[in-house]
Amino acid sequence: MAFAGLAAREADPAAAAALDRIGAEERVHDGLIAGLAAGLPAPRDAPGWMRAARRFHVRLGRGSAAEHLARVAAIDAAVCTILARLTRRGAPIASDAASFGVLSRIHADEARHVRVSRGLAMARADTRALAEVAASARGALADVLSVAGDAFEVLGVDAGALLADIRVLPDGLLRA
């Protein structure tokens, strides 16, 4: 829904089409992840975690379109970090062909989303201001994910290191 809103407000037809494409891919990702989640036990404190996740997503859309796009670029880059760790050679998911395939597909799409969102954001605003909102979004994501630390560990991912990396905005993400 966020991408549909961004696309609707976008004056540039090519940018609007790119945002619509990202929105369509995110809907596909939702279905793929729901399929994976259906075979897993419910997380601890699922209602509390879902409320925190909803608040996080609502905050992503605040401010200007450039700020929203910068947050999206930062969060999607964090998702790429998470997916890379989950699917790395030797991780439990790497040996499950179905899960590995789904997560690898999502990873490739998210990397493209980072490029598109980053480019659109940087064309619209000062990169220092964008870096601040993007860094804040990554910190908020790490806070939401911190409740899943045990699950990351079960999947062969060092949760402490992952969350520390998510909290840091990658050099050059929002710089020319």
Side-chain angles (χ1 to χ4, degrees):
M1 289 174 34
F3 287 101
L6 284 167
R9 294 188 316 229
E10 180 57 53
D12 176 17
L19 292 167
D20 277 333
R21 178 178 176 199
I22 291 173
E25 289 172 348
E26 292 294 350
R27 287 188 295 279
V28 170
H29 296 174
D30 287 347
L32 293 170
I33 290 169
L36 290 177
L40 300 172
R44 287 181 295 133
D45 189 25
W49 188 81
M50 290 303 292
R51 282 190 300 276
R54 277 189 213 102
R55 282 191 304 273
F56 168 77
H57 282 284
V58 167
R59 282 186 244 131
L60 286 180
R62 292 192 177 147
S64 70
E67 290 171 334
H68 190 174
L69 289 163
R71 287 184 194 104
V72 167
I75 295 307
D76 284 353
V79 168
C80 288
T81 298
I82 294 165
L83 293 172
R85 303 242 176 120
L86 288 172
T87 59
R88 77 181 191 304
R89 177 174 274 187
I93 288 178
S95 64
D96 180 75
S99 298
F100 181 82
V102 165
L103 296 181
S104 294
R105 173 184 175 177
I106 293 171
H107 188 181
D109 289 347
E110 293 299 325
R112 187 173 51 261
H113 299 174
V114 171
R115 288 189 300 277
V116 171
S117 299
R118 174 189 183 272
L120 291 172
M122 289 178 63
R124 289 163 173 72
D126 175 60
T127 57
R128 281 180 298 236
L130 294 178
E132 289 176 21
V133 298
S136 177
R138 286 179 68 105
L141 177 63
D143 291 343
V144 170
L145 292 176
S146 66
V147 300
D150 292 345
F152 283 117
E153 296 288 342
V154 167
L155 294 170
V157 174
D158 179 334
L162 175 65
L163 294 174
D165 289 345
I166 288 172
R167 287 186 189 286
V168 175
L169 190 66
D171 287 339
L173 181 66
L174 291 167
R175 290 187 179 88

